[in-house]
Amino acid sequence: METREARIGIVGMGYVGLPLALLFSGERFRVTGFDIAEDKVAALNRGSSYIVRIPAEAIQEAQKSGFSATADYSLISQMDAVIICVPTPLDHHHEPDLSYVTGTVKSIAPHIHEGQLIALESTTYPGTTEEIVVPLLESGNPHGLKVARAINEPGIHVVFSPEREDPGNDSVARHDIPKVIGGCGPAATELASAMYSAIFRRVIPVRTPAVAEMTKLLENIYRCVNIALVNELKQLCMRMGIDIHEVIDAARTKPFGFQAFYPGPGLGGHCIPIDPFYLSWKAKEFDFRTRFIELAGEINTAMPYFVLEHTAAALNEHSKSIKGSKVLVLGLAYKRDIDDLRESPSLTIIELLREKGAIVAYNDPYFPKVGRGRHYDLNMTNTPLENLAKYDAVLIVTDHTSYNFPEIVEQSQLVVDTRNATKGIVSTKIVRC
Ligand SMILES: NC(=O)c1ccc[n+]([C@@H]2O[C@H](COP(=O)([O-])OP(=O)(O)OC[C@H]3O[C@@H](n4cnc5c(N)ncnc54)[C@H](O)[C@@H]3O)[C@@H](O)[C@H]2O)c1
């Protein structure tokens, strides 16, 4: 690791795996990206990018350090370390879907070799590494390799090390985010610490993979529960005629014991709406109910319905019904300035508006069109941000910084703002919810 001779394979060239590959390349490691999506493999090998915030030049620069992509798992045998960054969604019953993790582990197991380091980064419930990954690796390799549990014991080295990326947040440089590592044995933790120290300033070793798995879930559940708290308080504040944003801004001046979270139209992204349910599912095995998670889930899931209700009320004030009204939804991405619409509340809000008979259009500079996803089927194309007066309501769901909100308010008949994007603008056309 120190001499950069180690070869690093990263499985899953998505929002997590690709930036990670570039970080290692930037530190002169020869990195191979593995992905089952042939189009991604081809794009990367052409030197192009499919993630907006990663420029093609960054891929081309990495290629100079030996970066390439492949769908051929037999190349795993040439790697010294393999890092797994594949999706961990929920299935239709809201239960963990580990099929991407198990599929990956089954595919790499025949090609692993003595001394190799295997790190799982995908967010998951405590126990996944020891109960799922290790048995599949041990039973799936033809050499009878086992996980090394003690220093100098032969075998493979397995760790869990959670990804902590926050897309679109540039306030902390990636290498300043400490990396938590929990190995199946001390040698595994030591090896992974050597590898991750090349790209992160600080590594935090913990005693077991389960501690590392639980650490990631605690971080995300903390966010989920606190967002639910402010979402609930927003609803109370609205009834009481108090501006929740003013309250939060005042509270955050307290120099200790308070961290600001902001209300919104509902949770989005691959992590916060999903990960807590990995823990509540696992907790059932221990005859335990995670009530905070369930309550937070209930409040956060209801937010798009709350937005619908307030859009209807706002239209009602203009003597209009939702049925037949033209509504322009601003922003599809689940948060500002990113090109990711996974679990985005905009998708649910559009579906709810359509169900009620609204004629819905959307504008989002990051999405020229939106088709079908796991939980939606919209089949829409981006509408230019013009002729806003023709819409009965303009509904701000994502506050991209490219939007000129004073102009939007100026040109619209009615603006429903779910993000406090119109803060400071005084107009009777604005309804904040
Ligand atoms: N996106 C984030 O901000 C973020 C932050 C922290 C943690 N995470 C976690 O990281 C993990 C990955 O998330 P992501 O956002 O990068 O997902 P993603 O969907 O962007 O990327 C996953 C990639 O894995 C590939 N893949 C799927 N199955 C594969 C297989 N069997 N072999 C090889 N490639 C395969 C997919 O084609 C895709 O390119 C998840 O567990 C997620 O919860 C994500």
Side-chain angles (χ1 to χ4, degrees), residues 11-17 34-37 40 50 73 85-88 100 103-104 107 121-123 163-167 216 270-271 275 334 340 342:
V11 186
M13 288 284 93
Y15 288 96
V16 166
F34 293 80
D35 206 295
I36 45 170
K40 289 189 177 173
Y50 41 80
Y73 273 112
C85 309
V86 295
T88 42
Y100 298 92
T104 299
S107 303
E121 289 211 8
S122 304
T123 309
E163 167 55 46
R164 281 173 151 173
E165 209 200 357
D166 183 14
K216 173 70 185 176
H270 186 310
C271 298
D275 302 346
Y334 75 86
D340 191 347
R342 288 179 290 179

mmCIF file of all heavy atoms in Angstrom, residues 11-17 34-37 40 50 73 85-88 100 103-104 107 121-123 163-167 216 270-271 275 334 340 342, ligand 1:
data_model
loop_
_atom_site.group_PDB
_atom_site.id
_atom_site.type_symbol
_atom_site.label_atom_id
_atom_site.label_comp_id
_atom_site.label_asym_id
_atom_site.label_seq_id
_atom_site.Cartn_x
_atom_site.Cartn_y
_atom_site.Cartn_z
ATOM 1 N N VAL A 11 -15.747 -2.620 -6.851
ATOM 2 C CA VAL A 11 -16.919 -3.216 -7.485
ATOM 3 C C VAL A 11 -18.117 -2.288 -7.278
ATOM 4 O O VAL A 11 -18.478 -1.982 -6.145
ATOM 5 C CB VAL A 11 -17.226 -4.613 -6.895
ATOM 6 C CG1 VAL A 11 -18.360 -5.271 -7.671
ATOM 7 C CG2 VAL A 11 -15.988 -5.492 -6.913
ATOM 8 N N GLY A 12 -18.726 -1.864 -8.379
ATOM 9 C CA GLY A 12 -19.849 -0.913 -8.327
ATOM 10 C C GLY A 12 -19.329 0.473 -8.647
ATOM 11 O O GLY A 12 -18.810 1.175 -7.794
ATOM 12 N N MET A 13 -19.475 0.874 -9.895
ATOM 13 C CA MET A 13 -18.964 2.189 -10.333
ATOM 14 C C MET A 13 -20.076 3.228 -10.310
ATOM 15 O O MET A 13 -20.392 3.862 -11.309
ATOM 16 C CB MET A 13 -18.390 2.074 -11.758
ATOM 17 C CG MET A 13 -17.075 1.315 -11.847
ATOM 18 S SD MET A 13 -15.671 2.314 -11.268
ATOM 19 C CE MET A 13 -15.575 1.834 -9.576
ATOM 20 N N GLY A 14 -20.717 3.374 -9.144
ATOM 21 C CA GLY A 14 -21.815 4.337 -9.021
ATOM 22 C C GLY A 14 -21.385 5.593 -8.300
ATOM 23 O O GLY A 14 -20.215 5.987 -8.328
ATOM 24 N N TYR A 15 -22.340 6.216 -7.621
ATOM 25 C CA TYR A 15 -22.093 7.484 -6.934
ATOM 26 C C TYR A 15 -21.007 7.350 -5.863
ATOM 27 O O TYR A 15 -20.342 8.323 -5.538
ATOM 28 C CB TYR A 15 -23.385 7.985 -6.275
ATOM 29 C CG TYR A 15 -24.406 8.488 -7.261
ATOM 30 C CD1 TYR A 15 -25.426 7.660 -7.711
ATOM 31 C CD2 TYR A 15 -24.350 9.788 -7.744
ATOM 32 C CE1 TYR A 15 -26.366 8.116 -8.619
ATOM 33 C CE2 TYR A 15 -25.284 10.258 -8.649
ATOM 34 C CZ TYR A 15 -26.290 9.421 -9.081
ATOM 35 O OH TYR A 15 -27.223 9.872 -9.981
ATOM 36 N N VAL A 16 -20.870 6.156 -5.291
ATOM 37 C CA VAL A 16 -19.853 5.942 -4.264
ATOM 38 C C VAL A 16 -18.562 5.384 -4.875
ATOM 39 O O VAL A 16 -17.469 5.893 -4.638
ATOM 40 C CB VAL A 16 -20.396 4.973 -3.173
ATOM 41 C CG1 VAL A 16 -19.280 4.468 -2.279
ATOM 42 C CG2 VAL A 16 -21.449 5.690 -2.346
ATOM 43 N N GLY A 17 -18.688 4.320 -5.662
ATOM 44 C CA GLY A 17 -17.510 3.612 -6.161
ATOM 45 C C GLY A 17 -16.646 4.428 -7.110
ATOM 46 O O GLY A 17 -15.414 4.386 -7.031
ATOM 47 N N PHE A 34 -15.031 -2.439 -11.404
ATOM 48 C CA PHE A 34 -15.861 -3.560 -11.874
ATOM 49 C C PHE A 34 -17.322 -3.125 -11.832
ATOM 50 O O PHE A 34 -17.770 -2.557 -10.838
ATOM 51 C CB PHE A 34 -15.699 -4.779 -10.960
ATOM 52 C CG PHE A 34 -14.328 -5.394 -11.009
ATOM 53 C CD1 PHE A 34 -13.268 -4.836 -10.295
ATOM 54 C CD2 PHE A 34 -14.088 -6.536 -11.755
ATOM 55 C CE1 PHE A 34 -11.995 -5.383 -10.335
ATOM 56 C CE2 PHE A 34 -12.818 -7.102 -11.800
ATOM 57 C CZ PHE A 34 -11.774 -6.529 -11.088
ATOM 58 N N ASP A 35 -18.066 -3.397 -12.908
ATOM 59 C CA ASP A 35 -19.497 -3.111 -12.883
ATOM 60 C C ASP A 35 -20.203 -4.038 -13.860
ATOM 61 O O ASP A 35 -19.657 -4.377 -14.914
ATOM 62 C CB ASP A 35 -19.788 -1.645 -13.247
ATOM 63 C CG ASP A 35 -21.095 -1.168 -12.638
ATOM 64 O OD1 ASP A 35 -22.176 -1.698 -13.021
ATOM 65 O OD2 ASP A 35 -21.048 -0.300 -11.753
ATOM 66 N N ILE A 36 -21.429 -4.441 -13.485
ATOM 67 C CA ILE A 36 -22.190 -5.305 -14.391
ATOM 68 C C ILE A 36 -22.882 -4.485 -15.484
ATOM 69 O O ILE A 36 -23.356 -5.050 -16.456
ATOM 70 C CB ILE A 36 -23.245 -6.172 -13.648
ATOM 71 C CG1 ILE A 36 -24.014 -5.323 -12.635
ATOM 72 C CG2 ILE A 36 -22.618 -7.377 -12.989
ATOM 73 C CD1 ILE A 36 -25.218 -6.022 -12.047
ATOM 74 N N ALA A 37 -22.942 -3.168 -15.304
ATOM 75 C CA ALA A 37 -23.591 -2.328 -16.317
ATOM 76 C C ALA A 37 -22.582 -2.065 -17.451
ATOM 77 O O ALA A 37 -21.664 -1.266 -17.290
ATOM 78 C CB ALA A 37 -24.068 -1.023 -15.696
ATOM 79 N N LYS A 40 -21.835 1.542 -18.491
ATOM 80 C CA LYS A 40 -20.944 2.310 -17.613
ATOM 81 C C LYS A 40 -19.490 1.919 -17.868
ATOM 82 O O LYS A 40 -18.608 2.785 -17.938
ATOM 83 C CB LYS A 40 -21.294 2.051 -16.141
ATOM 84 C CG LYS A 40 -22.606 2.682 -15.721
ATOM 85 C CD LYS A 40 -22.816 2.596 -14.219
ATOM 86 C CE LYS A 40 -24.113 3.301 -13.847
ATOM 87 N NZ LYS A 40 -24.495 3.144 -12.467
ATOM 88 N N TYR A 50 -20.647 9.648 -16.416
ATOM 89 C CA TYR A 50 -22.112 9.659 -16.415
ATOM 90 C C TYR A 50 -22.652 10.269 -15.120
ATOM 91 O O TYR A 50 -23.824 10.162 -14.819
ATOM 92 C CB TYR A 50 -22.658 8.239 -16.637
ATOM 93 C CG TYR A 50 -21.881 7.179 -15.881
ATOM 94 C CD1 TYR A 50 -22.105 6.948 -14.537
ATOM 95 C CD2 TYR A 50 -20.883 6.455 -16.523
ATOM 96 C CE1 TYR A 50 -21.368 6.019 -13.836
ATOM 97 C CE2 TYR A 50 -20.133 5.522 -15.832
ATOM 98 C CZ TYR A 50 -20.393 5.304 -14.484
ATOM 99 O OH TYR A 50 -19.643 4.384 -13.787
ATOM 100 N N TYR A 73 -15.140 -10.545 -13.984
ATOM 101 C CA TYR A 73 -14.774 -10.820 -12.591
ATOM 102 C C TYR A 73 -13.488 -11.625 -12.439
ATOM 103 O O TYR A 73 -12.908 -11.650 -11.351
ATOM 104 C CB TYR A 73 -15.922 -11.547 -11.887
ATOM 105 C CG TYR A 73 -16.937 -10.598 -11.308
ATOM 106 C CD1 TYR A 73 -18.220 -10.506 -11.822
ATOM 107 C CD2 TYR A 73 -16.601 -9.800 -10.233
ATOM 108 C CE1 TYR A 73 -19.146 -9.632 -11.280
ATOM 109 C CE2 TYR A 73 -17.513 -8.920 -9.673
ATOM 110 C CZ TYR A 73 -18.783 -8.848 -10.202
ATOM 111 O OH TYR A 73 -19.682 -7.982 -9.658
ATOM 112 N N CYS A 85 -18.921 -1.617 -3.459
ATOM 113 C CA CYS A 85 -19.797 -0.427 -3.307
ATOM 114 C C CYS A 85 -21.055 -0.612 -4.151
ATOM 115 O O CYS A 85 -21.331 0.185 -5.046
ATOM 116 C CB CYS A 85 -19.099 0.835 -3.788
ATOM 117 S SG CYS A 85 -17.475 1.109 -3.112
ATOM 118 N N VAL A 86 -21.795 -1.671 -3.907
ATOM 119 C CA VAL A 86 -23.002 -1.929 -4.711
ATOM 120 C C VAL A 86 -24.244 -1.498 -3.932
ATOM 121 O O VAL A 86 -24.187 -1.292 -2.724
ATOM 122 C CB VAL A 86 -23.079 -3.423 -5.135
ATOM 123 C CG1 VAL A 86 -21.930 -3.762 -6.072
ATOM 124 C CG2 VAL A 86 -23.099 -4.341 -3.934
ATOM 125 N N PRO A 87 -25.387 -1.362 -4.605
ATOM 126 C CA PRO A 87 -26.581 -0.836 -3.922
ATOM 127 C C PRO A 87 -27.112 -1.769 -2.830
ATOM 128 O O PRO A 87 -26.969 -2.995 -2.920
ATOM 129 C CB PRO A 87 -27.615 -0.720 -5.046
ATOM 130 C CG PRO A 87 -26.852 -0.808 -6.316
ATOM 131 C CD PRO A 87 -25.627 -1.595 -6.038
ATOM 132 N N THR A 88 -27.738 -1.160 -1.828
ATOM 133 C CA THR A 88 -28.440 -1.920 -0.787
ATOM 134 C C THR A 88 -29.827 -1.282 -0.591
ATOM 135 O O THR A 88 -30.046 -0.556 0.375
ATOM 136 C CB THR A 88 -27.652 -1.912 0.540
ATOM 137 O OG1 THR A 88 -27.132 -0.595 0.777
ATOM 138 C CG2 THR A 88 -26.500 -2.889 0.529
ATOM 139 N N TYR A 100 -27.745 -7.462 -4.363
ATOM 140 C CA TYR A 100 -26.575 -6.917 -5.073
ATOM 141 C C TYR A 100 -25.285 -7.307 -4.340
ATOM 142 O O TYR A 100 -24.288 -7.632 -4.960
ATOM 143 C CB TYR A 100 -26.660 -5.386 -5.177
ATOM 144 C CG TYR A 100 -27.851 -4.911 -5.969
ATOM 145 C CD1 TYR A 100 -29.050 -4.610 -5.338
ATOM 146 C CD2 TYR A 100 -27.776 -4.775 -7.346
ATOM 147 C CE1 TYR A 100 -30.150 -4.181 -6.058
ATOM 148 C CE2 TYR A 100 -28.879 -4.339 -8.077
ATOM 149 C CZ TYR A 100 -30.059 -4.043 -7.429
ATOM 150 O OH TYR A 100 -31.152 -3.623 -8.147
ATOM 151 N N GLY A 103 -24.881 -11.108 -4.766
ATOM 152 C CA GLY A 103 -24.509 -11.372 -6.167
ATOM 153 C C GLY A 103 -23.040 -11.052 -6.401
ATOM 154 O O GLY A 103 -22.301 -11.821 -7.024
ATOM 155 N N THR A 104 -22.606 -9.924 -5.855
ATOM 156 C CA THR A 104 -21.207 -9.517 -6.023
ATOM 157 C C THR A 104 -20.273 -10.501 -5.330
ATOM 158 O O THR A 104 -19.278 -10.949 -5.915
ATOM 159 C CB THR A 104 -21.007 -8.104 -5.407
ATOM 160 O OG1 THR A 104 -21.844 -7.201 -6.097
ATOM 161 C CG2 THR A 104 -19.568 -7.657 -5.507
ATOM 162 N N SER A 107 -19.890 -13.658 -7.102
ATOM 163 C CA SER A 107 -19.113 -13.509 -8.347
ATOM 164 C C SER A 107 -17.626 -13.375 -8.076
ATOM 165 O O SER A 107 -16.807 -13.846 -8.879
ATOM 166 C CB SER A 107 -19.560 -12.267 -9.124
ATOM 167 O OG SER A 107 -20.918 -12.327 -9.395
ATOM 168 N N GLU A 121 -18.365 -1.649 1.596
ATOM 169 C CA GLU A 121 -18.705 -0.260 1.965
ATOM 170 C C GLU A 121 -20.201 -0.005 1.922
ATOM 171 O O GLU A 121 -20.673 1.004 2.429
ATOM 172 C CB GLU A 121 -17.991 0.731 1.022
ATOM 173 C CG GLU A 121 -16.501 0.808 1.227
ATOM 174 C CD GLU A 121 -15.930 2.193 0.921
ATOM 175 O OE1 GLU A 121 -16.713 3.135 0.694
ATOM 176 O OE2 GLU A 121 -14.697 2.316 0.916
ATOM 177 N N SER A 122 -20.951 -0.885 1.243
ATOM 178 C CA SER A 122 -22.404 -0.660 1.110
ATOM 179 C C SER A 122 -23.058 -0.605 2.489
ATOM 180 O O SER A 122 -22.783 -1.460 3.339
ATOM 181 C CB SER A 122 -23.039 -1.811 0.324
ATOM 182 O OG SER A 122 -22.422 -1.957 -0.921
ATOM 183 N N THR A 123 -23.943 0.360 2.670
ATOM 184 C CA THR A 123 -24.630 0.494 3.956
ATOM 185 C C THR A 123 -25.518 -0.722 4.197
ATOM 186 O O THR A 123 -26.268 -1.131 3.297
ATOM 187 C CB THR A 123 -25.526 1.752 3.925
ATOM 188 O OG1 THR A 123 -24.729 2.839 3.479
ATOM 189 C CG2 THR A 123 -26.103 2.038 5.289
ATOM 190 N N GLU A 163 -19.226 3.990 3.820
ATOM 191 C CA GLU A 163 -19.067 5.191 2.999
ATOM 192 C C GLU A 163 -19.780 6.335 3.705
ATOM 193 O O GLU A 163 -20.864 6.163 4.244
ATOM 194 C CB GLU A 163 -19.688 4.918 1.627
ATOM 195 C CG GLU A 163 -19.889 6.104 0.766
ATOM 196 C CD GLU A 163 -18.630 6.875 0.563
ATOM 197 O OE1 GLU A 163 -17.578 6.274 0.288
ATOM 198 O OE2 GLU A 163 -18.687 8.108 0.699
ATOM 199 N N ARG A 164 -19.165 7.530 3.702
ATOM 200 C CA ARG A 164 -19.799 8.663 4.390
ATOM 201 C C ARG A 164 -19.974 9.858 3.473
ATOM 202 O O ARG A 164 -19.985 10.994 3.949
ATOM 203 C CB ARG A 164 -18.921 9.095 5.566
ATOM 204 C CG ARG A 164 -19.063 8.225 6.764
ATOM 205 C CD ARG A 164 -18.034 8.646 7.774
ATOM 206 N NE ARG A 164 -18.462 8.399 9.133
ATOM 207 C CZ ARG A 164 -17.680 8.568 10.174
ATOM 208 N NH1 ARG A 164 -16.448 8.989 10.023
ATOM 209 N NH2 ARG A 164 -18.121 8.327 11.381
ATOM 210 N N GLU A 165 -20.065 9.610 2.189
ATOM 211 C CA GLU A 165 -20.173 10.738 1.263
ATOM 212 C C GLU A 165 -21.483 11.507 1.462
ATOM 213 O O GLU A 165 -22.506 10.914 1.796
ATOM 214 C CB GLU A 165 -20.095 10.233 -0.179
ATOM 215 C CG GLU A 165 -19.506 11.276 -1.087
ATOM 216 C CD GLU A 165 -19.849 11.048 -2.541
ATOM 217 O OE1 GLU A 165 -20.493 10.045 -2.867
ATOM 218 O OE2 GLU A 165 -19.491 11.900 -3.350
ATOM 219 N N ASP A 166 -21.431 12.817 1.233
ATOM 220 C CA ASP A 166 -22.642 13.642 1.261
ATOM 221 C C ASP A 166 -22.674 14.413 -0.060
ATOM 222 O O ASP A 166 -22.101 15.493 -0.172
ATOM 223 C CB ASP A 166 -22.585 14.604 2.457
ATOM 224 C CG ASP A 166 -23.863 15.432 2.575
ATOM 225 O OD1 ASP A 166 -24.859 15.081 1.911
ATOM 226 O OD2 ASP A 166 -23.858 16.415 3.337
ATOM 227 N N PRO A 167 -23.334 13.831 -1.087
ATOM 228 C CA PRO A 167 -23.279 14.440 -2.422
ATOM 229 C C PRO A 167 -23.710 15.904 -2.403
ATOM 230 O O PRO A 167 -24.707 16.252 -1.758
ATOM 231 C CB PRO A 167 -24.272 13.608 -3.234
ATOM 232 C CG PRO A 167 -24.457 12.359 -2.457
ATOM 233 C CD PRO A 167 -24.222 12.682 -1.018
ATOM 234 N N LYS A 216 -22.556 3.417 10.957
ATOM 235 C CA LYS A 216 -23.161 4.056 9.775
ATOM 236 C C LYS A 216 -24.664 4.233 9.970
ATOM 237 O O LYS A 216 -25.235 5.284 9.645
ATOM 238 C CB LYS A 216 -22.871 3.187 8.540
ATOM 239 C CG LYS A 216 -23.569 3.640 7.280
ATOM 240 C CD LYS A 216 -23.011 4.926 6.740
ATOM 241 C CE LYS A 216 -23.798 5.411 5.552
ATOM 242 N NZ LYS A 216 -23.337 6.702 5.069
ATOM 243 N N HIS A 270 -30.534 7.714 -1.559
ATOM 244 C CA HIS A 270 -30.356 6.285 -1.381
ATOM 245 C C HIS A 270 -30.221 5.918 0.090
ATOM 246 O O HIS A 270 -30.395 4.766 0.475
ATOM 247 C CB HIS A 270 -29.095 5.862 -2.149
ATOM 248 C CG HIS A 270 -28.860 4.389 -2.187
ATOM 249 N ND1 HIS A 270 -28.878 3.603 -1.056
ATOM 250 C CD2 HIS A 270 -28.608 3.555 -3.204
ATOM 251 C CE1 HIS A 270 -28.632 2.345 -1.398
ATOM 252 N NE2 HIS A 270 -28.471 2.298 -2.696
ATOM 253 N N CYS A 271 -29.942 6.896 0.957
ATOM 254 C CA CYS A 271 -29.554 6.546 2.331
ATOM 255 C C CYS A 271 -30.648 6.774 3.375
ATOM 256 O O CYS A 271 -31.158 5.832 3.961
ATOM 257 C CB CYS A 271 -28.313 7.340 2.716
ATOM 258 S SG CYS A 271 -26.906 6.951 1.674
ATOM 259 N N ASP A 275 -31.920 3.326 4.835
ATOM 260 C CA ASP A 275 -31.025 2.632 5.771
ATOM 261 C C ASP A 275 -31.656 2.326 7.124
ATOM 262 O O ASP A 275 -31.437 1.243 7.672
ATOM 263 C CB ASP A 275 -29.742 3.446 5.974
ATOM 264 C CG ASP A 275 -29.021 3.677 4.659
ATOM 265 O OD1 ASP A 275 -29.363 2.989 3.674
ATOM 266 O OD2 ASP A 275 -28.131 4.545 4.604
ATOM 267 N N TYR A 334 -33.468 14.868 -5.358
ATOM 268 C CA TYR A 334 -33.930 14.807 -3.972
ATOM 269 C C TYR A 334 -33.321 15.906 -3.119
ATOM 270 O O TYR A 334 -33.811 16.194 -2.033
ATOM 271 C CB TYR A 334 -33.691 13.425 -3.357
ATOM 272 C CG TYR A 334 -32.264 13.110 -2.973
ATOM 273 C CD1 TYR A 334 -31.758 13.493 -1.736
ATOM 274 C CD2 TYR A 334 -31.425 12.402 -3.829
ATOM 275 C CE1 TYR A 334 -30.455 13.207 -1.375
ATOM 276 C CE2 TYR A 334 -30.137 12.112 -3.473
ATOM 277 C CZ TYR A 334 -29.647 12.509 -2.255
ATOM 278 O OH TYR A 334 -28.358 12.227 -1.897
ATOM 279 N N ASP A 340 -29.426 13.309 -8.809
ATOM 280 C CA ASP A 340 -29.843 12.021 -8.271
ATOM 281 C C ASP A 340 -31.311 12.134 -7.881
ATOM 282 O O ASP A 340 -31.677 12.999 -7.074
ATOM 283 C CB ASP A 340 -28.976 11.717 -7.037
ATOM 284 C CG ASP A 340 -29.136 10.279 -6.541
ATOM 285 O OD1 ASP A 340 -30.086 9.614 -6.982
ATOM 286 O OD2 ASP A 340 -28.307 9.851 -5.717
ATOM 287 N N ARG A 342 -33.138 9.367 -6.841
ATOM 288 C CA ARG A 342 -33.574 8.171 -6.120
ATOM 289 C C ARG A 342 -34.404 8.557 -4.885
ATOM 290 O O ARG A 342 -33.973 9.373 -4.089
ATOM 291 C CB ARG A 342 -32.365 7.337 -5.705
ATOM 292 C CG ARG A 342 -31.722 6.649 -6.903
ATOM 293 C CD ARG A 342 -30.529 5.862 -6.521
ATOM 294 N NE ARG A 342 -29.427 6.719 -6.141
ATOM 295 C CZ ARG A 342 -28.245 6.269 -5.736
ATOM 296 N NH1 ARG A 342 -28.039 4.978 -5.645
ATOM 297 N NH2 ARG A 342 -27.283 7.095 -5.428
HETATM 298 N N1 LIG B 1 -24.812 7.765 -2.906
HETATM 299 C C1 LIG B 1 -24.478 8.138 -1.699
HETATM 300 O O1 LIG B 1 -24.437 9.315 -1.402
HETATM 301 C C2 LIG B 1 -24.117 7.141 -0.608
HETATM 302 C C3 LIG B 1 -23.574 7.641 0.591
HETATM 303 C C4 LIG B 1 -23.213 6.743 1.583
HETATM 304 C C5 LIG B 1 -23.409 5.380 1.384
HETATM 305 N N2 LIG B 1 -23.945 4.908 0.221
HETATM 306 C C6 LIG B 1 -24.098 3.459 0.073
HETATM 307 O O2 LIG B 1 -23.159 3.003 -0.896
HETATM 308 C C7 LIG B 1 -23.717 1.911 -1.632
HETATM 309 C C8 LIG B 1 -23.663 2.200 -3.123
HETATM 310 O O3 LIG B 1 -24.457 3.327 -3.397
HETATM 311 P P1 LIG B 1 -24.347 4.165 -4.748
HETATM 312 O O4 LIG B 1 -25.085 5.414 -4.488
HETATM 313 O O5 LIG B 1 -22.943 4.225 -5.215
HETATM 314 O O6 LIG B 1 -25.179 3.211 -5.732
HETATM 315 P P2 LIG B 1 -25.239 3.308 -7.344
HETATM 316 O O7 LIG B 1 -26.519 2.680 -7.736
HETATM 317 O O8 LIG B 1 -24.918 4.690 -7.783
HETATM 318 O O9 LIG B 1 -24.031 2.419 -7.846
HETATM 319 C C9 LIG B 1 -23.964 1.045 -7.671
HETATM 320 C C10 LIG B 1 -23.264 0.440 -8.880
HETATM 321 O O10 LIG B 1 -23.117 -0.970 -8.613
HETATM 322 C C11 LIG B 1 -23.317 -1.654 -9.830
HETATM 323 N N3 LIG B 1 -23.627 -3.052 -9.527
HETATM 324 C C12 LIG B 1 -24.774 -3.583 -9.064
HETATM 325 N N4 LIG B 1 -24.630 -4.904 -8.880
HETATM 326 C C13 LIG B 1 -23.361 -5.219 -9.225
HETATM 327 C C14 LIG B 1 -22.616 -6.418 -9.255
HETATM 328 N N5 LIG B 1 -23.158 -7.591 -8.875
HETATM 329 N N6 LIG B 1 -21.350 -6.359 -9.686
HETATM 330 C C15 LIG B 1 -20.805 -5.177 -10.080
HETATM 331 N N7 LIG B 1 -21.451 -4.014 -10.079
HETATM 332 C C16 LIG B 1 -22.719 -4.042 -9.650
HETATM 333 C C17 LIG B 1 -24.425 -0.877 -10.507
HETATM 334 O O11 LIG B 1 -24.452 -1.124 -11.901
HETATM 335 C C18 LIG B 1 -24.030 0.564 -10.176
HETATM 336 O O12 LIG B 1 -23.176 1.117 -11.155
HETATM 337 C C19 LIG B 1 -25.119 1.711 -1.073
HETATM 338 O O13 LIG B 1 -25.099 0.722 -0.083
HETATM 339 C C20 LIG B 1 -25.433 3.059 -0.460
HETATM 340 O O14 LIG B 1 -26.366 2.933 0.589
HETATM 341 C C21 LIG B 1 -24.297 5.779 -0.782
#
